[in-house]
């Protein structure tokens, strides 16, 4: 799969997740994402915000899946990070752990997670004017 196909596939996945979980409102809230996390048995952990560039991390091991999000993030970055980490759950579980900081953004895995999050939260169709 080339990079373009990979990104398109992630957008399709995001639309599928929206449909499966009834995310139809224009604004997705942390509680919406918590519902998805709970359904998949993902534990959300907040840790003190002291790593400037690190917004979130994804950990999958024999104990299960934990997503860590920096505590004290404003609402929008919080929701975006939770959506970003969800992509790692669906597609990168076998990697075990992903640290998501700004310096990682050149990797297609990370860019893909940003694309997935954007599509999950702001799908194209909601931007169309009727
Ligand atoms: Zn990431």
């Amino acid at each position: 799969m080339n990079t373009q196909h990979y990104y398109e596939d992630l957008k399709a996945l995001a639309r599928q997740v929206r449909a499966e979980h009834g995310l139809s409102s224009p604004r997705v809230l942390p509680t919406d994402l918590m519902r998805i996390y709970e359904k998949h048995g993902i534990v959300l952990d907040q840790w003190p915000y002291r790593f400037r560039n690190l917004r979130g991390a994804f950990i999958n091991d024999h104990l299960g899946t934990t997503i860590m999000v920096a505590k004290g993030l404003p609402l929008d970055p919080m929701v975006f990070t939770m959506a970003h980490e969800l992509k790692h759950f669906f597609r990168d579980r076998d990697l075990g752990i992903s640290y998501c900081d700004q310096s990682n953004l050149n990797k297609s895995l990370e860019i893909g997670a940003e694309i997935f999050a954007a599509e999950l939260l702001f799908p194209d169709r909601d931007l169309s004017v009727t």
Side-chain angles (χ1 to χ4, degrees), residues 85-99:
E85 301 301 331
L86 203 53
K87 179 269 187 184
H88 293 312
F89 172 76
F90 285 121
R91 286 293 146 87
D92 311 320
R93 253 179 289 184
D94 51 332
L95 296 181
I97 187 158
S98 300
Y99 288 108

Side-chain angles (χ1 to χ4, degrees), residues 9-129:
D9 177 63
L10 289 171
K11 284 190 189 181
L13 175 67
R15 289 191 204 106
Q16 188 191 325
V17 170
R18 278 183 69 87
E20 276 173 11
H21 295 275
L23 295 186
S24 50
S25 62
R27 180 147 196 187
V28 177
L29 298 170
T31 48
D32 295 317
L33 290 167
M34 275 316 298
R35 225 171 54 229
I36 299 176
Y37 278 29
E38 275 164 21
K39 188 160 179 192
H40 292 285
I42 302 168
V43 174
L44 178 71
D45 220 348
Q46 295 196 325
W47 85 97
Y49 191 42
R50 48 193 143 123
F51 309 104
R52 179 178 281 192
N53 292 322
L54 194 63
R55 289 179 309 168
F58 174 87
I59 301 154
N60 187 59
D61 60 19
H62 63 285
L63 295 174
T65 302
T66 303
I67 284 173
M68 299 181 79
V69 175
K71 198 174 187 171
L73 282 179
L75 187 66
D76 287 344
M78 166 74 73
V79 168
F80 199 86
T81 302
M82 286 176 76
H84 171 116
E85 301 301 331
L86 203 53
K87 179 269 187 184
H88 293 312
F89 172 76
F90 285 121
R91 286 293 146 87
D92 311 320
R93 253 179 289 184
D94 51 332
L95 296 181
I97 187 158
S98 300
Y99 288 108
C100 304
D101 69 39
Q102 320 255 312
S103 61
N104 260 342
L105 274 183
N106 53 346
K107 289 203 241 160
S108 58
L109 283 184
E110 287 302 304
I111 295 168
E114 297 288 281
I115 289 170
F116 172 85
E119 188 69 17
L120 187 72
L121 302 176
F122 316 109
D124 295 337
R125 65 170 181 273
D126 284 352
L127 297 175
S128 64
V129 179

